Amino acid sequence: MNTHYYFSWFNHFFPEKLVQCLHEDIKDRKSLVLISANPFIDQDEQVNVDDTSEWTWLNQAKIVFDEYHFIDYRMQKEDAQQFIQHASVIFLCGGYPVLQKEFLIDYELSDVIKNSNAVILGASAGSLNMAAQWLSLNDTGNEVETTTIYDGIGIDQFAYESHSQRDYATFVQGYLFLLSEEIDVYAAEQESTIRVKDGKIEILGPVYLISHSKIQKLVETL
């Protein structure tokens, strides 16, 4: 049984419905591995797991683990791969999606994550990189944005969009339409979740499906 969660972002804590689902799905709580989306942090700077929003959300939900491991460039590649292989839960953190993607490639973590039996969680940038594809908008400063499509890990075969400053009004402007001609795009507002459990997609909060340039708001099913 494979279970994956795509979180947009939560400003405070997980909603109660989500907490119930996570308690139901996360039975093995031996080891939580968090993968940074700011992996180039100063080598001398101390980063504590409990300083991260992702840890705080889980802790507030009373989902605690025996071991916690935070992976960035300060950890050796082989150690990072081993911690992921033995993880109960893998959490791809929010931050800078391109930097996280480059780190996953550099440390050869994508296949290790994809082949894991752990519950896999992603927040914002982490959710983008879990998906098959995602799109980056780059403001050129001339009121024109260029787009770059990136390949993610491909844990599930859809594209994902998550951004705190974008909502339905921006999605309908069509910047995701070209991508949606090739693959279904799930576009998420703040405070939302997509759970994929044994291939079944379930929704909590404001999420839209964009397919072949048509957009529809999905009904909550969690």
Side-chain angles (χ1 to χ4, degrees):
M1 180 176 69
N2 294 313
T3 305
H4 318 135
Y5 282 83
Y6 297 76
F7 304 136
S8 54
W9 195 257
F10 299 95
N11 290 319
H12 302 292
F13 44 78
F14 288 147
E16 186 56 38
K17 285 184 180 178
L18 177 55
V19 171
Q20 293 172 2
C21 291
L22 290 168
H23 274 278
E24 172 188 316
D25 292 332
I26 301 175
K27 299 298 187 185
D28 179 359
R29 301 183 186 177
K30 294 185 181 69
S31 173
L32 171 66
V33 171
L34 298 108
I35 302 175
S36 176
N38 186 22
F40 290 99
I41 197 162
D42 188 332
Q43 298 295 306
D44 296 326
E45 184 175 343
Q46 182 66 35
V47 175
N48 296 315
V49 169
D50 55 6
D51 290 333
T52 65
S53 296
E54 293 83 357
W55 177 89
T56 301
W57 296 336
L58 290 170
N59 191 57
Q60 288 176 328
K62 295 183 170 55
I63 300 174
V64 297
F65 296 82
D66 297 334
E67 298 178 7
Y68 296 86
H69 305 283
F70 187 81
I71 294 178
D72 59 15
Y73 276 113
R74 292 169 301 175
M75 183 179 289
Q76 294 295 315
K77 179 193 294 188
E78 294 75 15
D79 292 337
Q81 292 175 350
Q82 284 205 357
F83 282 132
I84 290 172
Q85 287 172 347
H86 297 101
S88 308
V89 173
I90 301 166
F91 204 147
L92 286 88
C93 296
Y96 302 96
V98 175
L99 293 183
Q100 187 178 60
K101 174 182 170 56
E102 291 172 349
F103 177 61
L104 293 172
I105 293 171
D106 193 21
Y107 266 42
E108 301 177 15
L109 300 180
S110 294
D111 285 343
V112 183
I113 295 169
K114 195 171 182 178
N115 294 328
S116 172
N117 291 321
V119 174
I120 302 176
L121 315 176
S124 193
S127 293
L128 296 177
N129 279 311
M130 283 172 59
Q133 289 185 308
W134 55 276
L135 182 146
S136 174
L137 280 180
N138 304 303
D139 190 345
T140 64
N142 297 314
E143 297 184 359
V144 175
E145 290 182 311
T146 58
T147 60
T148 304
I149 295 174
Y150 291 93
D151 291 328
I153 297 171
I155 294 173
D156 296 291
Q157 292 306 304
F158 54 72
Y160 182 81
E161 166 68 326
S162 172
H163 197 291
S164 61
Q165 301 304 316
R166 299 194 180 110
D167 55 16
Y168 179 76
T170 53
F171 298 146
V172 295
Q173 291 176 13
Y175 72 95
L176 293 165
F177 285 179
L178 183 60
L179 179 58
S180 79
E181 293 294 330
E182 305 295 329
I183 189 171
D184 285 348
V185 182
Y186 287 86
E189 292 186 22
Q190 287 274 76
E191 309 286 332
S192 67
T193 299
I194 298 171
R195 178 173 75 172
V196 184
K197 186 170 183 176
D198 297 330
K200 181 182 179 183
I201 297 173
E202 296 173 289
I203 303 298
L204 180 65
V207 178
Y208 307 88
L209 172 61
I210 306 174
S211 182
H212 299 288
S213 299
K214 295 181 179 178
I215 182 169
Q216 61 173 311
K217 184 172 184 178
L218 298 175
V219 176
E220 287 195 7
T221 51
L222 278 179

